[in-house]
Amino acid sequence: MKKIYNVFFTIIAMSIVSACIPPGIGGKKSPSSPDVPVLGTEPSVNQPDWDASSIDRNANNVEAGEYIVQSGDTLSGIAARSGAPQSEIAKVNGLSAPYALQIGQILQIPAGTYHRVSSGETGIAIARAYGVPWREIVDINGLEAPYILRVGQRLKLPTQGEIRNSANRTVTPEERASAFNLEIDDIVTGGEPAVAAKEDTPDATLASNIPRPDSFDSQFIYPLRGRTISRFGSKGGGIVNDGINIAAADGTSIGSAADGVVVYSGNEIEVFGGLILVDHGGGWVTAYGHVGKINVSRGDKVKAGQNIGEVGQTGYVDRPQLHFEIRKDRRPIDPLTKLPNN
């Protein structure tokens, strides 16, 4: 039976989501690593604040119900009282901006578990706090580039039931957070801190914390020249390479494959060690892994061929090399199809 909401809307008590631990780096093994990973020396970098302990786990479990519009009601006010996002209420009721309501109109309130975003929170940290895959939060909330969260925004969380370990003990959120592994896609879509915006304008365009290019109308060039030791695609035995690996001497200069803006430089994805991500606009992103020395910081504008780092033996590799990826709209594509033939 549906719950009937009135002007004295009852907010459902807080309920923390328990969910399964996401797989490792896309459930993939490093194509250039042995079964027992070989870790090189990691570059010294300043890590972004993606600590799950900084997140206020304020998720509310909202029951499905109905709300009868009263005089003076606004959609944002109804959303605030119900705990359901304004965008979700608008979607299930077929409403569009400026969200004009009629007295006596019956609105459907969608069920779900929602986290209210606080200032400075990142999507990755929120996902870690609840132990759920960030990519699922992106999908169920319909988040789009540049994936900027708004302070006060309510994010729907995946509800996958409680997880128990082999001893039949419920795994705590802290334990799930500690086991959380990042993917490149997580950093691209969930690394931006939330920004302030008006509560009643959830669909307003939010500027990124760093200036990303609007479009990409150029060509990619090789970040360095060398022998390709692992190509794109499946290698068998569950091993998948989302890019190519190029052998090079330790300290070899790495150039940006095109003009763009650095959106990440760090070493939080263990398999890649030192990692740099460059946004080129239009959904195009390049990744550079196993970097021994990182020469750029988040927010730096770079030109094609500009030095961004040096080859190293970091992450799960047994020799110096560069792991290079090209991604379009979050999906990896074979770099050799976009690089010059000679």
Side-chain angles (χ1 to χ4, degrees):
M1 182 177 221
K2 289 183 177 179
K3 180 175 180 180
I4 304 299
Y5 293 82
N6 56 32
V7 290
F8 303 104
F9 217 104
T10 301
I11 299 179
I12 306 304
M14 177 176 176
S15 174
I16 299 300
V17 174
S18 294
C20 60
I21 300 171
I25 311 304
K28 303 159 189 166
K29 300 176 183 177
S30 169
S32 54
S33 67
D35 290 337
V36 178
V38 177
L39 278 72
T41 302
E42 302 303 324
S44 176
V45 294
N46 294 321
Q47 296 297 344
D49 184 13
W50 295 337
D51 183 5
S53 66
S54 66
I55 301 299
D56 175 19
R57 296 191 184 98
N58 59 29
N60 280 340
N61 197 26
V62 178
E63 295 179 357
E66 294 178 345
Y67 178 80
I68 301 175
V69 177
Q70 308 293 314
S71 176
D73 275 341
T74 63
L75 193 60
S76 61
I78 295 170
R81 291 193 293 275
S82 70
Q86 176 175 317
S87 57
E88 286 287 304
I89 298 175
K91 182 170 64 175
V92 299
N93 289 281
L95 304 177
S96 58
Y99 308 118
L101 302 177
Q102 301 295 324
I103 295 175
Q105 182 179 358
I106 298 176
L107 297 179
Q108 300 299 315
I109 305 299
T113 303
Y114 303 98
H115 169 82
R116 189 177 189 278
V117 179
S118 298
S119 178
E121 291 185 348
T122 66
I124 297 173
I126 293 170
R128 277 179 161 174
Y130 292 101
V132 298
W134 168 243
R135 68 198 71 87
E136 290 190 16
I137 296 179
V138 171
D139 291 339
I140 64 176
N141 288 277
L143 302 182
E144 298 179 349
Y147 308 102
I148 308 301
L149 300 181
R150 173 177 51 83
V151 174
Q153 178 180 359
R154 289 178 174 84
L155 287 176
K156 188 173 185 178
L157 303 176
T159 53
Q160 303 174 6
E162 290 190 345
I163 297 299
R164 297 181 180 274
N165 65 7
S166 58
N168 201 34
R169 178 179 61 81
T170 300
V171 179
T172 67
E174 289 77 11
E175 289 171 325
R176 291 195 304 274
S178 66
F180 194 98
N181 290 315
L182 284 174
E183 293 188 15
I184 287 177
D185 183 57
D186 293 328
I187 295 176
V188 172
T189 60
E192 292 277 2
V195 298
K198 292 182 179 180
E199 181 72 20
D200 59 353
T201 56
D203 299 322
T205 300
L206 298 175
S208 172
N209 290 281
I210 56 175
R212 301 185 183 224
D214 294 329
S215 61
F216 178 69
D217 56 4
S218 184
Q219 301 292 320
F220 291 107
I221 62 174
Y222 277 90
L224 57 78
R225 288 291 186 172
R227 181 169 62 90
T228 301
I229 56 177
S230 180
R231 291 180 177 268
F232 179 87
S234 175
K235 304 300 173 185
I239 300 175
V240 177
N241 193 352
D242 284 338
I244 59 175
N245 288 53
I246 305 172
D250 188 42
T252 300
S253 176
I254 302 168
S256 177
D259 295 356
V261 174
V262 177
V263 292
Y264 175 78
S265 62
N267 58 7
E268 283 210 335
I269 299 185
E270 291 185 359
V271 67
F272 295 127
L275 177 68
I276 300 169
L277 302 179
V278 179
D279 188 328
H280 305 283
W284 293 97
V285 173
T286 52
Y288 312 78
H290 308 310
V291 180
K293 182 181 179 182
I294 295 174
N295 295 331
V296 289
S297 300
R298 185 175 181 274
D300 287 351
K301 294 182 179 180
V302 294
K303 293 291 187 181
Q306 178 180 331
N307 175 274
I308 57 175
E310 298 176 6
V311 170
Q313 187 181 328
T314 65
Y316 296 174
V317 291
D318 55 4
R319 54 181 150 166
Q321 60 192 267
L322 173 69
H323 175 79
F324 176 64
E325 295 186 15
I326 296 178
R327 292 176 174 245
K328 177 67 169 72
D329 296 329
R330 302 172 55 194
R331 297 185 179 277
I333 62 176
D334 186 352
L336 296 180
T337 65
K338 295 298 179 181
L339 292 170
N341 292 326
N342 50 22

